[in-house]
Amino acid sequence: SLSEVQVLKVVAASGDIYYLSYRRAIGFDSSLLTQYLDKTSVHTSQDGGSTLHAILGDGESYRNAQFTVTQVRHNATHAYLTISFP
């Protein structure tokens, strides 16, 4: 269903795993803080915990030595991202 959380898993050449998730204030996230609304979260998960690296709005990018992700735009159900690898 389009109203459910969807996550993109990025496995970098180093083996590091990043998760990109688009957050909306519906269902489980109905009380989501405004800083996360309609944005893509970039995070890693390790040993049962999660590390947030960036929160991307339209036109914003997260870059590290392994990849760059940009939230190009969003609508009511999707975020449109570009991902590039060096």
Side-chain angles (χ1 to χ4, degrees):
S1 162
L2 294 178
S3 64
E4 295 178 13
V5 174
Q6 296 187 22
V7 175
L8 178 64
K9 180 178 176 180
V10 177
V11 180
S14 66
D16 293 336
I17 299 173
Y18 290 82
Y19 298 94
L20 312 175
S21 60
Y22 178 59
R23 308 291 297 277
R24 304 225 48 242
I26 54 176
F28 177 79
D29 279 344
S30 62
S31 61
L32 192 64
L33 296 174
T34 57
Q35 69 192 44
Y36 299 105
L37 284 176
D38 299 320
K39 296 182 179 176
T40 298
S41 297
V42 180
H43 54 99
T44 53
S45 180
Q46 190 174 45
D47 299 326
S50 181
T51 301
L52 179 64
H53 297 278
I55 303 167
L56 307 176
D58 292 351
E60 296 180 327
S61 299
Y62 168 75
R63 178 184 317 239
N64 64 25
Q66 301 175 81
F67 72 98
T68 300
V69 59
T70 301
Q71 179 172 309
V72 178
R73 64 184 177 92
H74 74 280
N75 62 28
T77 58
H78 296 84
Y80 295 85
L81 308 175
T82 60
I83 302 173
S84 59
F85 300 89

